Amino acid sequence: MRILIFHGYLLRGTGSNVYNANLARALRELGHEVHLLCQDGDAAALPWVDRVGRWRGGEMIVEGEVGGDGSVTVYTPDIGGLLPVYVHDRYEGFEVKVFPDLSEAELDRYLRSNVAAVAEVAERAGGIDAALANHVVMGPAILARADLEHGFAAKVHGSALEYTVRPHPQRFLGYAREGMAAAAAVLVGSRHTAESLWRTIADPSLPAKTRLGPPGVETEAFRSRDPEQAAAELASLAGRLERAVTDDDAFGRDPRQAAVAIREFASRTPRVLYVGKLIPQKGVELLLEAWPAVAAANPGASLLIAGFGEHEQELRRLAADGVSFSGRLEHDEVAVAMGAADALVVPSVFPEAFGMVAAEGAASGALPVCADHSGLHEVASRLAQALPAEIADLVAFPLGDDAPAQIAERLNRWLALPAAERNSAGRALAGVVRERWSWEGVARGVIAASAGDVSELPEVPGPDQ
């Protein structure tokens, strides 16, 4: 099948970027011809990308070769260097504005450029059999206006809904409704996101075509390591980072800083990890406030903060002994860090569409300690079912004034368990991930959703499930 994916951002770093990269790769491995539109100018360096398409002087130029079954061609539409985002951050090579700050002319240019690019890609490919639009705005509206022959599915990640559409309905709700109405099916990561979407769009026909479509986990990469293997892989990763040559400000990436942080993480035990954006909504300060109590109970403990964002310098000021900051890590590098971690914390104070980081940590045999709300609650609840009753509560903590104490208490109880009990629980957590979340299953679900065939897709769970 010829499958088109509209993402509009990068293919590494944050949640939706990783989702689309892994989805494209899974579709390729299933033998499909994938046409992925995004803004990752370094896509050719990714080993699963066969060709790249760029517009030069208004003409599309495609470079690279395809051989055998399955292929991925990545296209970067010419959007004039202005990248609209949901949460402000630096992106190398772009002028960045959050959507509400765009002028009407800038928003119109962005839409028209992408609609034209999608239409040209579809024509050059000889037609598209299935398609996916990411984010509630602007991807679905773009595919709706491109008038694809066989329709498309929409994947709601949550950020566009919570940061753009809900706070600014007068300007963006119309685009969201246009896209949702045109989509053959809508995929969400959790009931929380589904309910937020239904309330916001207020279209009575939307729930019937909404299905559960969480991201998957690369279980071959995200897996537990024995202590010797974990130490060796961390040392190898630090060495690669030290040898890397790149711009210090490239998308939150300073390889020398990352190498120092990884070596410090490797040199101490037990190890706790945070992976995500360094913005207030992620609640990282709750973990840093909890850390002194964890370090006191576990002498020599190490906390690695892996991520980037506008809140970094303030968080550094809160950090105590045993805390290191790596900046952004690539997805395969995160897998190495998780495989060496005893636990990770997901302390978001803002709704999450899914608990991808929690699922990846669980696949690695580490205990995920999650804020008990939104999509995180749904992931944590499923993981808790695999644990012995006396430690099932460790995977989630309630947000409140005592959240740091709640985090510390859960980490300390987990780290105090005998190694054999922790290993047994880690294997049980990994088993849940293998059973429930695989990229091949995600890929097949996207194809079915694009055709409007929701009969075999899991329904959004009820409020008590």
Side-chain angles (χ1 to χ4, degrees):
M1 295 181 71
R2 291 187 293 269
I3 302 172
L4 183 144
I5 301 172
F6 183 87
H7 174 42
Y9 296 99
L10 306 185
L11 296 175
R12 58 201 100 194
T14 57
S16 65
N17 297 347
V18 172
Y19 173 92
N20 282 280
N22 283 298
L23 173 61
R25 181 163 54 183
L27 289 165
R28 179 182 187 267
E29 291 173 356
L30 289 171
H32 298 294
E33 178 184 313
V34 181
H35 300 269
L36 170 57
L37 291 90
C38 68
Q39 287 297 322
D40 195 321
D42 295 325
L46 296 168
W48 47 269
V49 173
D50 300 285
R51 302 187 302 170
V52 294
R54 299 183 176 90
W55 279 260
R56 296 170 181 163
E59 180 182 359
M60 185 205 296
I61 307 297
V62 179
E63 300 171 332
E65 296 183 359
V66 173
D69 295 333
S71 66
V72 175
T73 304
V74 173
Y75 306 84
T76 53
D78 181 4
I79 58 173
L82 175 60
L83 183 66
V85 298
Y86 313 113
V87 177
H88 192 275
D89 241 314
R90 298 193 316 272
Y91 290 85
E92 185 181 17
F94 291 100
E95 177 188 1
V96 177
K97 288 186 178 183
V98 292
F99 271 97
D101 289 348
L102 295 176
S103 68
E104 287 303 315
E106 289 169 336
L107 181 56
D108 182 64
R109 172 183 166 79
Y110 178 76
L111 287 166
R112 286 189 292 104
S113 298
N114 281 306
V115 169
V118 168
E120 184 172 356
V121 167
E123 182 179 2
R124 288 276 296 265
I128 296 297
D129 302 306
L132 177 73
N134 285 270
H135 300 288
V136 70
V137 289
M138 290 290 174
I142 288 167
L143 292 201
R145 296 181 184 194
D147 196 24
L148 298 176
E149 181 180 358
H150 294 293
F152 66 92
K155 171 64 170 123
V156 178
H157 295 278
S159 51
L161 179 64
E162 302 297 341
Y163 292 106
T164 301
V165 178
R166 290 188 63 193
H168 306 279
Q170 290 185 329
R171 189 168 186 198
F172 296 104
L173 183 54
Y175 295 109
R177 284 176 169 163
E178 176 186 358
M180 294 298 99
V186 178
L187 300 173
V188 297
S190 64
R191 180 171 184 85
H192 168 84
T193 298
E195 290 182 335
S196 180
L197 177 70
W198 298 338
R199 287 194 304 268
T200 303
I201 303 300
D203 178 350
S205 68
L206 187 54
K209 64 179 182 181
T210 304
R211 288 294 185 273
L212 199 62
V217 174
E218 294 178 76
T219 54
E220 292 184 1
F222 288 89
R223 53 181 173 77
S224 63
R225 277 86 163 164
D226 61 46
E228 294 77 14
Q229 182 185 15
E233 290 193 15
L234 286 172
S236 177
L237 171 57
R240 293 198 305 273
L241 289 165
E242 288 169 340
R243 294 187 296 272
V245 178
T246 187
D247 182 347
D248 284 0
D249 289 328
F251 193 33
R253 179 80 161 182
D254 180 341
R256 291 164 296 188
Q257 171 187 307
V260 170
I262 292 296
R263 289 202 184 281
E264 182 173 349
F265 187 58
S267 69
R268 304 168 68 127
T269 56
R271 303 186 186 106
V272 178
L273 180 64
Y274 167 83
V275 178
K277 294 291 287 293
L278 304 186
I279 57 177
Q281 295 90 337
K282 295 297 183 180
V284 190
E285 67 277 5
L286 301 178
L287 172 56
L288 292 176
E289 290 173 22
W291 186 248
V294 179
N298 300 274
S302 176
L303 169 61
L304 177 65
I305 306 293
F308 68 100
E310 61 187 17
H311 207 38
E312 179 175 348
Q313 293 308 313
E314 182 174 344
L315 293 172
R316 283 180 176 273
R317 288 192 289 270
L318 294 174
D321 181 58
V323 180
S324 54
F325 290 75
S326 68
R328 176 181 62 85
L329 295 179
E330 299 288 3
H331 204 226
D332 61 329
E333 297 166 351
V334 170
V336 171
M338 283 192 177
D342 297 285
L344 76 151
V345 181
V346 191
S348 295
V349 297
F350 200 76
E352 297 282 353
F354 186 68
M356 187 64 188
V357 171
E360 289 173 339
S364 305
L367 175 78
V369 179
C370 306
D372 194 16
H373 62 77
S374 62
L376 291 175
H377 168 81
E378 295 178 34
V379 171
S381 296
R382 285 162 175 76
L383 295 173
Q385 294 169 10
L387 296 176
E390 61 271 19
I391 61 170
D393 66 313
L394 298 185
V395 296
F397 69 92
L399 284 179
D401 292 341
D402 64 341
Q406 297 280 356
I407 294 170
E409 189 269 343
R410 282 158 175 77
L411 287 174
N412 286 337
R413 281 172 56 201
W414 173 253
L415 296 174
L417 291 174
E421 290 186 30
R422 289 209 313 268
N423 291 339
S424 176
R427 288 192 295 272
L429 292 171
V432 173
V433 178
R434 287 193 300 271
E435 178 184 349
R436 288 184 172 273
W437 301 300
S438 74
W439 278 111
E440 181 176 314
V442 172
R444 295 185 190 281
V446 165
I447 293 172
S450 176
D453 181 8
V454 298
S455 59
E456 299 301 320
L457 299 178
E459 295 186 2
V460 175
D464 298 324
Q465 292 179 268

